Amino acid sequence: MNSLRQILFLLGKDLRIELRKKESLVSMAFFGALLLVILNIAAGVDNQVDADAGAGILWVAVIFSAVLGLGRVFAREKENGCVAALLLSPVAPGEIFIAKALVNFILMVLAQLVLVPIFYVLFGSNFSGGPVALLPILLLVNLGFSTAGTLISAISAGTRRNEVLLPILLFPLLLPLTALAIKATAGVLAARPLFELRDQIEPMIAFGLIFSAAGYLLFPFSIRED
Amino acid sequence: MTEATGAPFLQISGLRKAYGNLEALRGVDLELRRGEFLCLFGPNGAGKSTLLKIIATLLRPDSGRIRVLDNDLQENPEAYRARLGMVSHQPFVYQDLSLLENLEFYAALYGVKQPRKRALKLLQQVKLIQRCDMPAGDLSRGMQQRLSIARALVNDPELLLLDEPYTGLDEHAARIFGEQLRMLHDNRRTIIMVTHNLRRGMESATRLGILARGRLAYLQEKDQVDPASFEALYFQHLEAS
């Protein structure tokens, strides 16, 4: 019970700062939208995009924009040494991990609330599958991305080249998840029912669970100085 | 001033820490009673900050033990940290939160019953109550250090660690900070401060020590120390480093 309260205090603090400054959210949404517009221009005047290409376009925008948010969440803790204050507190490092992963998850959801409608406005005429059916796929990717991303951003935040190191470490790790997400999204855009996509959805669930457990267990080693 | 009482509050024995080939601590032994205020001086690289970080559980020693009131620090670090406070040259506060929000957040994290009430009381204590709604990032360096004291006190710690708290403070801010420190020192609270500021350190402490090349080279009750000889000894260590 006490752990849950501490996680909520940590989460509340990060969301309060984010909603006040809107640094991560605005940059994520703006960058993602910009990518979608550029790819729409690249698609040409007839705007013919099949479901596979459409899925790729959506996930390029979502994943590249999400990295911007991941970097900020830990950079904020490094300013003024706040990460040391968290480690000095009676909060277990695993609880800090859960709170940070939740912040990243929420930021991704909020950015997707902007990006998915823009994607449908720009490319939607090509697809018979609607945005509501995309929801489970988006949530599963968010789970895997936010847990793996939180762990990696904690590691890279302790280095001088944080902004460079984060995508270099994170993208190869997320490649299997991204490939599964593209395949599943292509199925949804082609209006295939979700149960037909379980070959992609089940490994995505496993990916999210493995990275949640790994992040919780490895986070104390990634955030400490020694 | 106050008097230290009772059995040892903090016992450190055989503490060693190396960073690769560099030995930062080479067997530190130290005992402090409750209520003592130890000020540790020493040249750069002597291992002072490493020692404080180990006591704060921010670093793990390679060997040696730390016991607080007969409990091994490693056995229940979360419970130990609930009784610990630390002030560093970094304020450990969120620039975008107000002073009140910062303290309320930390108080809640420590499970303080009425976090807002505690935060307001501490802001009053460090004379920042009139700026309680101001973002912490807008404060001067001196004010940020006072806020840092308030943050370190949210859990009313029994052990307070001060790592170079005078760094970057001008004379006026250092004087106010020194006054705050003297207010904090009561019979309940044990304090360890690491500083290069000889004058400020000597006026606050009840015990003085010199850490040199990873070892405790000198440790004495302040009453038994001749300030001039201590200063000479300190400069000897600085020159030798």
Side-chain angles (χ1 to χ4, degrees), chain B residues 109-152:
Chain B
L109 216 54
Y110 278 87
V112 173
K113 287 248 164 60
Q114 291 173 296
R116 193 178 181 83
K117 195 175 165 191
R118 177 80 182 142
L120 287 168
K121 188 182 169 193
L122 286 167
L123 285 171
Q124 190 96 49
Q125 200 175 322
V126 297
K127 299 186 174 70
L128 287 172
I129 191 73
Q130 283 169 334
R131 292 179 163 83
C132 68
D133 292 322
M134 187 188 266
D138 290 355
L139 292 181
S140 68
R141 168 87 185 113
M143 287 179 190
Q144 286 209 2
Q145 269 312 67
R146 276 151 61 195
L147 178 62
S148 181
I149 289 188
R151 178 201 45 74

Side-chain angles (χ1 to χ4, degrees), chain A residues 62-74:
Chain A
V62 166
I63 285 177
F64 278 86
S65 66
V67 172
L68 294 178
L70 282 179
R72 270 309 296 161
V73 168
F74 266 100

Side-chain angles (χ1 to χ4, degrees), chain A residues 6 9-10 13 16-17 20-21 77 80-82 84-93 224-226, chain B residues 17 53 56-60 78 81 84 86 90-97 101 105-106 108-110:
Chain A
Q6 286 173 324
F9 288 135
L10 287 165
K13 180 266 297 173
R16 176 180 283 187
I17 294 175
R20 188 167 294 166
K21 303 300 284 185
E77 295 298 346
N80 283 336
C82 292
L86 293 185
L87 292 173
L88 278 167
S89 76
V91 181
R224 289 178 62 95
E225 274 186 48
D226 54 358
Chain B
K17 176 75 185 174
K53 282 181 178 175
T57 74
L58 291 174
L59 279 179
R60 285 190 194 90
E78 272 98 23
R81 286 198 288 264
L84 180 76
M86 187 173 190
Q90 285 186 300
F92 298 172
V93 292
Y94 295 94
Q95 306 270 12
D96 301 319
L97 293 182
E101 286 169 337
F105 163 68
Y106 282 113
L109 216 54
Y110 278 87

